[in-house]
Amino acid sequence: MNILEVSHVTKSFGSNRVINDLSFSVPEHSIFGFIGKNGAGKTTTMKMTLGLLKADAGEIFVNGEKVAFGENATNRYIGYLPDVPEFYGFMTPQEYLKMCGDITGMPGEEVKRKSEELLEVVGLSQAKKRIRGFSRGMKQRLGIAQALLNSPKLLICDEPTSALDPVGRKEILDILHSVREHTTVIFSTHILADVERICDRIAFLHKGCIARSGTLEEIKGLHRSSDIEIEFLEAQDAGRFLGLCRNCVQAEAAKVIVSPNQEEGMAEVLGILAANRIPIRRLEQLDATLEDLFMEVAGK
């Protein structure tokens, strides 16, 4: 079942059309990477999913129920982490989660149990100081705990790692990966390494519509690279090969990248190496990267 379905949605601000006939779906228990340049419309899409912005056309369904602007019926299925979460700095994390639980009408014992459980999951169970003393990464982790407090079917995270250092990014990604057994995660980002690390499905948003979508393997399969990387035992062997092979460049002293034509490909490269008895340390067919695909989409 698809936990989120976006169907032919359009949204304009004045004469600027930000979302243009947008359609995509997110299956349950997936980690869905929503990729696009800054200003591509990722945050606008998320706000329409939350009912905070009204779509000009189209429909959005969460857990099979239609989202209505200004109403929060479907938000009972959603946990949301904005790009810059705000907190009451004078509270402790335990006090903050209790307040959030009270506001949503959760029973006191359930709030206490879930708060303890979630603070353990996000690594803040021993954090007793006031939130004003938290680092950016700690605040992001507390934001995830708050977003998961109502056991949502869909966790939406807007640029959750964009302002974090490498350690903080890893912590957030590890948490998002660990909760996929209990919820579906969708997060918008332009940090492609984060997507490759934890996502199983992705969509490229470009000029307000989906340019590419599918599983990570399917997307990479659309752009198979024919390039070959060869690492030689010695730099002089790389030099010999460069003099014999067309369409190749020296990447490092003993490493060469070959871009053979489609007809000859690997057979041509192997033939040159064998005929001239040139020893190698490693030969690898290079896969397309998300960066390659992103630049291809963004360049349209």
Side-chain angles (χ1 to χ4, degrees):
M1 175 180 172
N2 292 326
I3 190 64
L4 174 64
E5 294 185 4
V6 177
S7 178
H8 301 288
V9 169
T10 297
K11 178 64 180 177
S12 297
F13 295 100
S15 61
N16 182 26
R17 177 164 289 188
V18 178
I19 301 297
N20 184 23
D21 195 31
L22 177 66
S23 295
F24 68 94
S25 59
V26 179
E28 278 190 301
H29 299 293
S30 60
I31 301 183
F32 187 90
F34 199 37
I35 307 170
K37 297 190 296 184
N38 290 333
K42 303 186 298 297
T43 297
T44 297
T45 302
M46 292 184 173
K47 287 184 176 179
M48 288 190 292
T49 300
L50 292 163
L52 300 177
L53 279 177
K54 185 177 182 179
D56 298 332
E59 298 176 319
I60 300 175
F61 295 88
V62 175
N63 198 39
E65 296 184 23
K66 186 176 178 179
V67 174
F69 168 65
E71 300 181 13
N72 59 9
T74 51
N75 285 352
R76 69 186 187 276
Y77 302 121
I78 301 175
Y80 177 58
L81 176 67
D83 56 343
V84 182
E86 297 289 344
F87 304 96
Y88 294 109
F90 61 87
M91 288 183 167
T92 65
Q94 293 81 4
E95 291 169 344
Y96 178 74
L97 292 182
K98 181 180 184 304
M99 180 196 70
C100 293
D102 291 343
I103 289 173
T104 58
M106 292 176 63
E109 284 301 313
E110 183 181 357
V111 173
K112 184 175 185 297
R113 177 184 61 80
K114 286 287 293 183
S115 295
E116 292 174 353
E117 174 186 309
L118 290 169
L119 289 174
E120 183 70 35
V121 168
V122 301
L124 294 175
S125 59
Q126 301 304 313
K128 306 300 182 184
K129 62 183 178 181
R130 304 294 174 181
I131 299 172
R132 68 167 62 93
F134 278 19
S135 66
R136 176 69 186 268
M138 293 173 72
K139 288 180 178 178
Q140 290 292 88
R141 285 186 276 146
L142 178 57
I144 292 176
Q146 180 273 321
L148 291 171
L149 191 60
N150 66 331
S151 301
K153 290 181 176 290
L154 176 64
L155 174 62
I156 297 178
C157 302
D158 191 3
E159 302 278 5
T161 61
S162 60
L164 301 180
D165 60 27
V167 173
R169 282 175 54 202
K170 180 181 184 303
E171 290 173 344
I172 297 301
L173 293 175
D174 287 346
I175 292 168
L176 295 179
H177 190 267
S178 71
V179 302
R180 67 175 301 171
E181 295 179 8
H182 309 290
T183 187
T184 303
V185 178
I186 175 172
F187 74 95
S188 71
T189 186
H190 57 269
I191 303 176
L192 302 179
D194 293 352
V195 174
E196 290 199 90
R197 181 172 171 192
I198 67 169
C199 290
D200 44 33
R201 302 187 69 86
I202 60 176
F204 287 96
L205 184 65
H206 181 63
K207 293 184 178 179
C209 57
I210 298 298
R212 299 277 192 281
S213 67
T215 66
L216 199 56
E217 292 75 18
E218 288 169 348
I219 294 296
K220 286 187 173 182
L222 295 173
H223 189 110
R224 292 292 183 192
S225 173
S226 61
D227 288 357
I228 299 166
E229 182 178 83
I230 308 173
E231 185 177 355
F232 294 88
L233 296 176
E234 304 288 344
Q236 60 208 46
D237 295 325
R240 288 177 58 202
F241 182 80
L242 283 166
L244 297 167
C245 180
R246 300 168 294 169
N247 304 316
C248 60
V249 294
Q250 191 161 12
E252 297 176 14
K255 189 178 293 184
V256 170
I257 303 294
V258 188
S259 300
N261 62 50
Q262 294 295 325
E263 290 74 24
E264 296 171 330
M266 185 72 78
E268 177 192 21
V269 172
L270 293 175
I272 294 172
L273 292 170
N276 294 276
R277 297 181 178 274
I278 303 175
I280 65 171
R281 186 184 306 277
R282 180 179 59 86
L283 183 148
E284 180 181 358
Q285 182 94 40
L286 298 178
D287 290 329
T289 66
L290 277 186
E291 183 177 357
D292 295 330
L293 296 165
F294 183 81
M295 295 306 296
E296 178 183 290
V297 167
K300 286 185 175 181

